[in-house]
Amino acid sequence: MASDTDNASSSVNLGSRFSQAYLWLIAASIVCYLVLAFSFAKVKTPWVDEGWVASAPANWASTGSFGTPSLEPSGSWLNAELTGIQEYTYWNLPVGIVAQGLWYKAFGFSLLRMRALGILCGLAAILSWSAITWKLSGSRLAGSITAALLSVDYTLLWGAADGRMDMMCVMFGSGGLSAYLQLRERSYMASLWLANLLVALSLFTHPNGMSFFLGLIFLVVYYDRHRLSWRDISTLLPYLIIASLWALYILVRPDYFLAQFGANTSARGGARWAMLVHPLRAVIKEILVRYIAHFGLRPLWGGPTPKYAIGIPFAHWITLIVLCTTAPLRRRGNVNALMALAGGFLVFMTFVVGLKAQCYLIFVIPLYIALLAIWLCRSHDRQSITAPLSAIVTAGLLACQLGTIAFKLQKNTYASEYAPTVNFVRSRLASGQLIFADSYFGFDLGFDRVIDDTRLGYYSGRRADLIVEDLWYGWWWRKLYPGEEPQISKYVKNLLRADYHLVFEKGPFRVYERRRT
């Protein structure tokens, strides 16, 4: 009898230690993620969107104005003028701007502080997707593996260490889905209120938050269609409140809003519904421009990657194919719900989001990872014939991710390319002089001294003492404008040849100084 008691006690202790292993894996994932994300934040060169997005909230934190001082209204890459942008910022949704502004008021403004906000949003998103995977699969191990794989995902880390609003949008949206799934059995109405509040914040952070709104509708119908009633409409109040507050700001200058928001939503190649009428083109561009380009072909957002990084999207696609074609892997728990959710997100990104920006990958990466974690756990539990393949895909994905992370950290373009360029510009820029450069140079030179005008004063008539060409200016001058605006291409070429001379070059950066007559 004593022996049986001892064995039972030993089993309980073993079970307790085993259950704590999930927590240890999540804790290790958190530490790993924070170390890698902050390491990326220190080594990656700023990029064009970080300057555009940060300028307005930084200006509000210091002056109380929501204008974007560095951006010339006629100088962005968009094919329409951002009228009034230096007085009021309407081309982006409000939640991200306000959140960044409050963050800067509380902690001060710098490039690293800006990126720290995105990193914390990324951490919250990882924990939310871990909880979503656990709830839908019924496996705590799958949930913790999701957190572990996301913590070393190169694209997610790169997106977290970024000043854009995408990771904040993902945080709010995935938090809303997680809140609904975690609370619906204990308090149905509370789950709807909290989920809709978070998804509303996501939707008014970035238009891609619509994917989480549609995802929440799907989950509510999937789980609780028999409980739906007219009183549930009240839980949509957060959308109305945020929209009303934004409307009050819009009514200050509705003409500026129409000009700016219209310009942004009709960007070249970025009309949000255009791909619905060109489905084959949408699929091809999604694969080539978003995935293949990011992982090696033309990685504009993330910069150069090692050749083996191309294995990362193929690991994701293999996972999707196996789970779609292997019914036994989906039978236990609600894996079919997760599969449908993943399918919905992929359809939305492929056919609704016309702008194939590579930074949008962070909206779908967590779904691929969640499915891989479930495949890995389920195939080994059931001794499936796909178990060896799941192990090979996971090991290959980890090798590609860790290798790419090491490659990017070693490259350290911030120290090797960007910092020397900033130091040189500082040494040549006299008091009162201005420069044409991407807005992100405002982090180090001041947003009031930088004129972000890709057309170099063609419309404004302004002239600068220095011009800084970077990856983005170079791409617009040599790739975009020759076909879209040939007069701008010719003007830029002639201006640089006749009025300026090259005085500095480092990596993608070139500094041109105005000739003295």
Side-chain angles (χ1 to χ4, degrees):
M1 183 68 71
S3 178
D4 290 343
T5 302
D6 292 342
N7 288 337
S9 176
S10 176
S11 297
V12 170
N13 291 335
L14 181 60
S16 176
R17 288 195 297 270
F18 188 66
S19 66
Q20 292 177 357
Y22 301 107
L23 298 176
W24 282 110
L25 182 55
I26 290 176
S29 301
I30 292 172
V31 173
C32 179
Y33 165 79
L34 290 174
V35 169
L36 292 176
F38 275 104
S39 297
F40 269 170
K42 293 179 179 179
V43 304
K44 62 182 288 191
T45 294
W47 72 294
V48 54
D49 280 26
E50 288 185 298
W52 289 344
V53 170
S55 182
N59 190 35
W60 176 73
S62 60
T63 69
S65 168
F66 268 119
T68 304
S70 61
L71 186 55
E72 169 61 39
S74 61
S76 79
W77 69 284
L78 300 170
N79 53 0
E81 184 170 333
L82 295 170
T83 308
I85 190 69
Q86 296 180 341
E87 300 170 60
Y88 297 93
T89 298
Y90 287 119
W91 67 327
N92 289 324
L93 290 169
V95 172
I97 296 175
V98 173
Q100 279 200 12
L102 293 173
W103 178 264
Y104 300 148
K105 276 185 175 292
F107 301 103
F109 177 71
S110 71
L111 179 62
L112 188 58
R113 288 187 180 97
M114 175 191 67
R115 289 175 170 176
L117 177 60
I119 291 171
L120 294 180
C121 290
L123 176 59
I126 288 175
L127 295 177
S128 292
W129 277 108
S130 176
I132 292 169
T133 307
W134 166 35
K135 199 67 179 177
L136 292 180
S137 69
S139 169
R140 288 180 296 180
L141 179 60
S144 58
I145 290 177
T146 297
L149 292 176
L150 286 174
S151 71
V152 293
D153 185 273
Y154 152 64
T155 303
L156 191 91
L157 289 164
W158 198 260
D162 206 271
R164 274 183 56 90
M165 69 294 285
D166 300 293
M167 192 56 77
M168 187 181 298
C169 181
V170 173
M171 174 193 69
F172 285 132
S174 55
L177 301 185
S178 177
Y180 169 72
L181 292 171
Q182 297 296 325
L183 296 176
R184 54 172 292 274
E185 294 174 352
R186 286 176 286 171
S187 178
Y188 169 68
M189 287 301 292
S191 72
L192 288 182
W193 273 103
L194 183 56
N196 277 302
L197 171 60
L198 292 170
V199 171
L201 290 169
S202 175
L203 185 59
F204 284 95
T205 298
H206 191 279
N208 287 346
M210 178 61 70
S211 60
F212 292 103
F213 178 69
L214 297 174
L216 179 60
I217 292 175
F218 163 74
L219 290 175
V220 171
V221 172
Y222 183 88
Y223 282 106
D224 290 310
R225 56 188 176 275
H226 61 285
R227 301 166 72 177
L228 289 170
S229 67
W230 286 108
R231 67 171 186 162
D232 298 339
I233 294 178
S234 64
T235 64
L236 300 178
L237 189 59
Y239 303 92
L240 180 61
I241 293 174
I242 299 175
S244 298
L245 292 173
W246 191 32
L248 292 176
Y249 178 59
I250 290 172
L251 289 174
V252 177
R253 288 303 303 256
D255 53 334
Y256 287 177
F257 168 77
L258 292 174
Q260 293 180 32
F261 213 72
N264 200 17
T265 55
S266 61
R268 295 180 178 90
R272 291 199 165 267
W273 308 97
M275 292 295 104
L276 288 173
V277 295
H278 301 287
L280 181 58
R281 186 191 307 172
V283 173
I284 293 173
K285 289 187 68 175
E286 183 74 10
I287 293 172
L288 294 181
V289 178
R290 201 184 317 270
Y291 287 88
I292 302 300
H294 171 61
F295 292 103
L297 181 63
R298 195 180 64 190
L300 282 174
W301 171 56
T305 56
K307 292 181 179 179
Y308 49 77
I310 198 65
I312 295 173
F314 283 96
H316 296 324
W317 294 332
I318 291 171
T319 299
L320 199 62
I321 291 170
V322 169
L323 284 174
C324 284
T325 57
T326 313
L329 296 176
R330 306 192 305 270
R331 282 175 185 160
R332 194 177 65 197
N334 291 287
V335 179
N336 281 323
L338 184 60
M339 289 288 296
L341 198 63
F345 270 68
L346 291 175
V347 167
F348 181 86
M349 297 302 294
T350 301
F351 299 105
V352 177
V353 182
L355 184 62
K356 300 303 178 183
Q358 296 162 12
C359 57
Y360 293 170
L361 280 169
I362 64 174
F363 287 87
V364 294
I365 288 292
L367 288 147
Y368 285 122
I369 295 297
L371 293 173
L372 176 57
I374 291 171
W375 177 26
L376 186 63
C377 294
R378 194 65 56 81
S379 63
H380 285 79
D381 285 348
R382 301 176 64 89
Q383 297 182 337
S384 166
I385 59 173
T386 67
L389 180 59
S390 70
I392 292 171
V393 170
T394 305
L397 177 65
L398 280 172
C400 291
Q401 298 279 28
L402 294 174
T404 303
I405 290 170
F407 174 87
K408 301 298 288 187
L409 291 176
Q410 184 273 333
K411 199 168 183 63
N412 193 356
T413 56
Y414 184 95
S416 62
E417 297 174 354
Y418 174 69
T421 303
V422 169
N423 291 334
F424 179 83
V425 171
R426 277 204 188 105
S427 70
R428 301 295 283 256
L429 196 63
S431 177
Q433 291 184 328
L434 299 175
I435 66 170
F436 280 139
D438 250 319
S439 286
Y440 62 78
F441 277 88
F443 288 112
D444 295 285
L445 302 174
F447 287 108
D448 58 333
R449 302 191 71 185
V450 174
I451 306 171
D452 191 349
D453 184 354
T454 64
R455 296 176 178 86
L456 303 186
Y458 181 84
Y459 292 110
S460 69
R462 302 180 75 178
R463 291 292 180 268
D465 298 280
L466 295 177
I467 296 174
V468 182
E469 176 187 344
D470 65 348
L471 176 68
W472 302 93
Y473 269 39
W475 190 83
W476 288 318
W477 292 347
R478 297 176 180 85
K479 300 292 185 181
L480 180 65
Y481 290 148
E484 299 286 343
E485 299 181 43
Q487 77 280 10
I488 299 296
S489 177
K490 181 179 179 180
Y491 166 78
V492 168
K493 187 182 299 184
N494 290 337
L495 180 71
L496 293 178
R497 182 175 60 245
D499 294 352
Y500 292 83
H501 64 284
L502 182 67
V503 291
F504 178 86
E505 187 170 6
K506 176 71 72 170
F509 296 102
R510 295 176 181 175
V511 179
Y512 302 88
E513 189 171 48
R514 194 171 185 178
R515 299 181 189 277
R516 303 191 184 280
T517 57

